[in-house]
Amino acid sequence: MTPHAPFTVRRLADVPPDVLLRLMRSHEKQVSGVATWTREDVLLELGHPGRTDDDGWCLTGFGEDVLGSATVTARGDVLHVLLTVLPGRHGPSAARRLLSLALDRADALAARHGRRYAVTVGGVLSGDPVLPPVLREAGFSPGLTAGQYAIDLTAPPLPPLLPDGGALRPAGPGDVATLHTLHRRSRTRGAGAEDAAVFRACFDRLRESGGAALQLEVSGRPAGHVLGRVDSLGNGRVTDLAVDPAFRGLGIGYALLTAGLAELRARGAVGALVTLDTDDPYDPEALGRILTVRSVRSVTRFHGEAG
């Protein structure tokens, strides 16, 4: 029997970002063979609007080796947990300890605000040997699975094919309420649907970092949007792609995706990471015909409750 590991819990606020970055990239590499996390991703995760220093932990073991981390982010009536644990001898024990910290925090927030929260653990990579069994043991069930596509942007993507009456334009601060409405309508389930103040704060942070925001309208009506950013190393990421359900089936998702990737390329990106839910009407084979896909992997979101 594997002995219980003597873990030390530290607040993420007290851990250098580069330590967390090494953890995230090492975990990705071991599980999927491809590491995509960047320092900018870590800084954005740590500085998410509304999160406090009490909403994140890092677990160390022998020799101060970092074994895992967890963060909790409130999004409306959902608490989203990002849980990362390195595979290995002490992986399951580390995952249980971090999940316990996250659920204790969820219970504390529920008691403080007088309401019950749903809890999701997102971004669980396909092939992760640790998290799925620990989450099921704790009563969580798998939900949406998304495909993560690494897109090569060294060659320009095909130009967007807009529907009749369609027009693309940059989105600015005056469009945030519309973008938030589109964001909520496009996500009937899952980890989206932040409240308006958090969505605005994220949008403002995107603009301050030089990110891209495009809105697509059909006959003057907002039909969808795409948001993205590029880091200092030329890594692009589509951070939000939303299509109003009333306009689905018109190719708007593909139009937004290709337009957003072209905008990221114009801002210096040599590649981009795109995450698409399997519930969205995208054909992976068709995606490969219009874009240069370097790699694909799957991530799953698990659902549970606090208390």
Side-chain angles (χ1 to χ4, degrees):
M1 179 180 293
T2 302
H4 180 69
F7 300 132
T8 299
V9 178
R10 300 172 63 187
R11 297 190 313 168
L12 273 186
D14 300 328
V15 176
D18 287 344
V19 171
L20 183 57
L21 176 60
R22 286 196 295 273
L23 168 69
M24 306 303 280
R25 291 183 65 85
S26 178
H27 172 261
E28 287 184 294
K29 194 72 174 177
Q30 290 185 53
V31 174
S32 71
V34 177
T36 63
W37 272 79
T38 67
R39 197 170 193 275
E40 283 85 350
D41 293 330
V42 169
L43 293 175
L44 287 170
E45 178 66 24
L46 293 176
H48 193 282
R51 182 179 296 147
T52 72
D53 290 348
D54 295 325
D55 295 330
W57 311 270
C58 186
L59 213 59
T60 59
F62 295 106
E64 294 299 302
D65 291 335
V66 178
L67 302 176
S69 69
T71 59
V72 175
T73 306
R75 296 172 176 169
D77 292 328
V78 178
L79 294 177
H80 178 64
V81 178
L82 178 64
L83 183 59
T84 303
V85 177
L86 292 178
R89 180 183 180 187
H90 298 303
S93 294
R96 293 186 188 99
R97 182 75 177 99
L98 286 165
L99 183 60
S100 176
L101 289 168
L103 292 177
D104 285 348
R105 180 60 176 161
D107 289 341
L109 291 171
R112 178 186 303 173
H113 299 136
R115 62 181 178 182
R116 193 174 184 85
Y117 286 97
V119 180
T120 68
V121 178
V124 180
L125 288 171
S126 175
D128 188 320
V130 175
L131 292 186
V134 169
L135 290 170
R136 288 189 174 94
E137 174 187 281
F140 283 73
S141 57
L144 289 177
T145 296
Q148 285 190 341
Y149 300 82
I151 308 298
D152 184 358
L153 294 181
T154 54
L158 293 174
L161 182 62
L162 301 180
D164 291 342
L168 272 167
R169 66 171 178 83
D175 299 305
V176 172
T178 298
L179 299 181
H180 182 237
T181 298
L182 289 168
H183 173 85
R184 290 181 62 89
R185 285 179 180 170
S186 69
R187 285 164 174 76
T188 56
R189 295 184 291 165
E194 295 98 337
D195 63 40
V198 171
F199 187 89
R200 178 175 288 277
C202 291
F203 181 81
D204 290 343
R205 190 168 56 173
L206 179 75
R207 292 184 70 247
E208 290 167 1
S209 66
L214 298 174
Q215 181 172 309
L216 194 154
E217 298 172 346
V218 176
S219 301
R221 294 177 57 194
H225 70 251
V226 61
L227 310 178
R229 57 181 171 80
V230 183
D231 67 22
S232 58
L233 299 178
N235 302 301
R237 190 180 292 265
V238 174
T239 59
D240 195 26
L241 178 64
V243 177
D244 191 311
F247 290 93
R248 286 184 174 172
L250 301 178
I252 289 175
Y254 285 118
L256 284 166
L257 180 57
T258 53
L261 291 173
E263 186 69 21
L264 294 181
R265 185 176 187 272
R267 295 170 186 243
V270 296
L273 189 68
V274 180
T275 301
L276 302 173
D277 285 346
T278 53
D279 273 9
D280 291 337
Y282 295 99
D283 178 357
E285 293 185 2
L287 199 65
R289 289 194 293 269
I290 63 175
L291 299 170
T292 303
V293 179
R294 293 189 299 208
S295 63
V296 184
R297 65 186 186 187
S298 297
V299 295
T300 300
R301 187 176 300 128
F302 283 74
H303 300 273
E305 286 189 350

